Amino acid sequence: MTMRAKCWVAGIGIPVLLIVLLAIFWSWNWFIPMVDSRASAALGRKVTMSHLRVRLGRVVTVRAGNVQIDNPKGFPATQPFAKIRQLTIRFNIIDYLFHNRTVVPLIDLNHPVINAVATPAQVDNYTFKATKPSKPGKPKPPPEIGTLTIESGLAHVVDPKLKANLRLVIDTRAATGIVAKHRQAHEIAVQAKGTYNNQPVTGTMIAGTLLTLRNTAQRYPLDLSLANGATHVSLIGTVQDPLSFKGANVLLTLAGDNMADLYPLTGIPIPATPKYRVTGRLAYAHQSIEFTNFHGLVGNSDLSGTIAEKPGAILTNGTSKPTVRMNLMSRRVDLVDLGGFIGTKAGGEHEAGATAAQRAKIAASEARSPNLLPDKPFNLPKLNAANIYLHYKADSIEGKSMPLDDLAVTMDIVNGTIHLHPISFGVGTGRIIGTIALTPVSNKLIHAVANVSFANVNVSKLMAATHMFRGAGLLQGKATLNATGNSIASWAGNGNGGLVLYMTGGNLSALLVSLSGLEFGNALIAALGLPEQTDIRCFVGDFALDRGIFDTRTLLLDTGTAVVRGEGTVNLKNERIDYRIQSKPKHFSIGSLPAPIDITGTMKKPSIGPAKKPLVERGIAVAVLGVIAAPLALLPTIQLGVKDPHTCQDLVTEAETQDRDDKPGQSVRPVAHAAPVRKVAARPPALHGNLTTSALNRQELKKVQHQRP
């Protein structure tokens, strides 16, 4: 072979040999260090893989095995953020080379394991920060990804702030149900189990694949079922723009034992309620998430309306305060179901769906409590969690002994301060209207200021609630309270204020009046139906509240048959009663032992009975005279009747003045001349709380004291 031939053989053979040897011994694993370095730089985390496979063609297929993404500093290195058994990526090289487009037809994650962890200091391992600033100029379009599939994915999520510890199983599979109905080939299925808000949670979600979230031209189907403790959430429907939750056509059902349990899920502080179930439409409009046209039951009460929640600005501590607007109504409401709003057991032993054993347990718990006034503290941190604007109307109020007809409430909670302006109850043709302001003054105390007006309240409704007595007339009055505490019991126990109630005209069950004076003969006749009613000239109740002591300035009932007076106090600090009622007949009567009635004990279990000393003295007299001569035993029971030592119009006029000036329990100028009695219409309420005693009522009280036996 000539030298020239040898050169040709060497020149051609050596490259061919090298190509053959390269083809025989070539390994894409040689590029792993470079790929690891580029991926680590892009994510800002160390990325490693064990092997790399590439199949060339118009669409290049890259397979990486045992891909691992480490945690950032401060997190354990033994449990990386993510591990993927095999990562497959298909890349269209022609589009990239000739059209400068990044087209990725497929990303497949086989058996990925994710550990997403947050610390109590709210530092997490799943937030990725860009390591390089983007270049100035026209931004590069994002990659066009065709399909993202997950095979046998596992995720462990831990967040101390949410008190969450969840394990998720994630799979992409052939579409069924609502996803197939919307003509999508694949769906993502997620199963969750663990704890949320320290309550056990389980859930399933069937939805469109993850990449279809970006497609606003196609509706995103969703079917979610979640159980968190006793709370159950069902969400089914479609969303036009899932990432912004726009164009939602979703049916939401909420059910559980207590609406207060919804706070971790919604961020809306709701008082305790009995069992509930509500269903409505969930949508996004006017930059608010809206729960519209919902209806359902809360305990024995129906509930419907609309709730809109608008996210608030992010605060310096990373939280936000949403604004919530509620427009709610009930056709029929049982006030027992609203007990959580005043600190009592919502639903109580009458809660709908409660078993006999549960009712007995609730009744026993309520019986063990020595107090009548609710003493459950208000939750101050939750009050400041959202700004809430509520309008609520109940067309009818149910209850065996409930004299109220309807209810209307306008309530605002702004920066932790509650304003009810007003809360209004219908009583026959009249109303009880109150304005209440609850302002936090510390982490545990709330300053309460309340003003309540009684306008033309029907006595017939009040008497009907007793199921024993009857009556008629229109009651007027005013009440105020100024106190600091954290529950209704604490406000009553240290508050200042007053109460004035008055009425002219009307009638009252004679049995009630007779029993107040222990007139056994008249009570028996009244019980038999004659007379059924006695006329009322006037009723005046004037009370002062001074640091928890509810003191009587005047309590007088002037009827056609008797004059009834009361005196004494109720200590709202310890709920002790020290009260006496004295009734004297106006006309001749036989069979009466006119001893005062003493009311003592506690508000929850009062002791009611005749004053022992006067009754014993009269009883001894009856017994002695009965021994001498039986007819003489009637002498101590004969009452010749008393003249009215007071002026009804004077007392009513003073009560009217206190009502008009919004000063119940406070002095007014003594009335020189009797003024004509008039009805007082309801006026806008004001808030006061000073306490004095008028000269007129001091004189009246002395008269009552002088007439005591």
Side-chain angles (χ1 to χ4, degrees), residues 407-438:
L407 167 64
V409 180
T410 298
M411 182 182 72
D412 299 338
I413 304 178
V414 179
N415 296 327
T417 297
I418 301 177
H419 290 277
L420 287 91
H421 55 98
I423 178 170
S424 176
F425 295 94
V427 186
T429 58
R431 299 203 74 80
I432 301 174
I433 305 172
T435 59
I436 303 173
L438 306 176

Side-chain angles (χ1 to χ4, degrees), residues 271-272 338-346 372-378 486-488:
L338 304 181
F341 287 82
I342 60 173
T344 64
K345 168 66 177 177
L372 179 66
L373 297 175
D375 57 1
K376 183 179 179 180
F378 283 82
N486 61 1
S487 66
I488 291 180

Side-chain angles (χ1 to χ4, degrees), residues 65 106 132 148 176 215 295 337 359 395 442 474 571 579 606:
L106 171 70
K132 294 182 179 179
L148 171 64
T176 58
N215 186 2
H295 59 277
D337 297 330
R359 296 179 194 275
D395 291 337
S442 70
L474 299 178
N571 187 333
Y579 215 83

